[in-house]
């Protein structure tokens, strides 16, 4: 695959992955696989959550895609794998580290309108969502109604 097109694919896959994550979160995690997400919605003392299996799934999928793409002359699968990885890094940084402070020593919350919006949206998600219903299922995108009032 043309390297330039391949590199262009990465941000496109990143944006598509926010849609995939939104869909999964709304219809699968708050649906028939709630059993793997519920520990993310209650206080837990353990360092790992069953919910981390979703991240692990995409990490393994990315590794396999990058491997397959590499073995096949760096075809589209290679860039697809890196696109999913880039989204995973965004999710890890902004959802796990910035919002949920899973690394206790890192207290980082950028005070820009964008970050304040996704923080408000995710806080609302955690306040108002139950097993099979909820609001604000995005992770890196939130609608304007979560802007500071
Ligand atoms: Zn949720
Ligand atoms: Zn969360």
């Amino acid at each position: 695959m043309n390297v330039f097109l391949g590199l262009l694919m990465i941000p496109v896959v990143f944006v598509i992955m926010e849609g995939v994550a939104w869909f999964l979160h709304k219809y699968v995690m708050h649906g028939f696989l709630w059993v793997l997400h519920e520990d993310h919605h209650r206080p837990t003392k353990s360092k790992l959550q069953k919910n981390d299996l979703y991240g692990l799934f995409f990490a393994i999928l990315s590794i396999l895609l990058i491997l397959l793409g590499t073995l096949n002359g760096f075809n589209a699968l290679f860039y697809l794998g890196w696109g999913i990885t880039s989204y995973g890094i965004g999710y890890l940084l902004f959802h796990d580290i910035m919002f949920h402070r899973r690394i206790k020593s890192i207290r980082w919350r950028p005070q820009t309108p964008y970050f304040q919006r996704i923080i408000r949206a995710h806080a609302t998600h955690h306040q108002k969502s139950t097993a099979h219903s909820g609001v604000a299922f995005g992770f890196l995108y939130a609608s304007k109604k979560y802007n500071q009032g």
Side-chain angles (χ1 to χ4, degrees):
M1 182 170 194
N2 178 298
V3 177
F4 179 75
L5 276 179
L7 292 175
L8 211 64
M9 246 181 89
I10 294 175
V12 172
V13 171
F14 183 99
V15 171
I16 293 171
M17 278 303 293
E18 171 66 9
V20 171
W22 175 87
F23 183 89
L24 268 178
H25 191 193
K26 186 171 164 90
Y27 295 106
V28 176
M29 297 157 88
H30 284 265
F32 68 98
L33 282 180
W34 168 248
V35 64
L36 298 180
H37 187 54
E38 60 86 24
D39 65 351
H40 185 64
H41 276 271
R42 65 174 154 84
T44 166
K45 287 213 165 29
S46 84
K47 284 230 184 287
L48 291 174
Q49 304 169 357
K50 278 180 274 166
N51 185 57
D52 295 330
L53 289 171
Y54 290 104
L56 189 66
F57 168 80
F58 282 105
I60 292 170
L61 179 68
S62 305
I63 291 166
L64 290 176
L65 287 168
I66 292 167
L67 198 69
L68 261 171
T70 303
L71 295 174
N72 288 286
F74 300 98
N75 67 10
L77 297 181
F78 176 81
Y79 298 100
L80 177 64
W82 279 110
I84 298 174
T85 300
S86 71
Y87 184 78
I89 293 168
Y91 173 82
L92 183 77
L93 285 177
F94 302 124
H95 175 262
D96 286 32
I97 295 176
M98 180 191 78
F99 187 89
H100 289 292
R101 296 199 167 131
R102 291 187 68 187
I103 301 176
K104 289 283 169 260
S105 56
I106 301 179
R107 303 182 132 266
W108 167 64
R109 283 203 174 171
Q111 299 297 307
T112 68
Y114 166 73
F115 284 106
Q116 292 199 324
R117 182 160 83 231
I118 61 171
I119 288 167
R120 276 168 158 251
H122 200 62
T124 310
H125 175 72
H126 275 276
Q127 284 157 13
K128 297 202 173 155
S129 301
T130 59
H132 296 289
S133 72
V135 292
F137 291 98
F139 292 105
L140 301 180
Y141 170 80
S143 90
K144 290 224 177 350
K145 73 173 176 215
Y146 295 103
N147 275 340
Q148 212 117 23

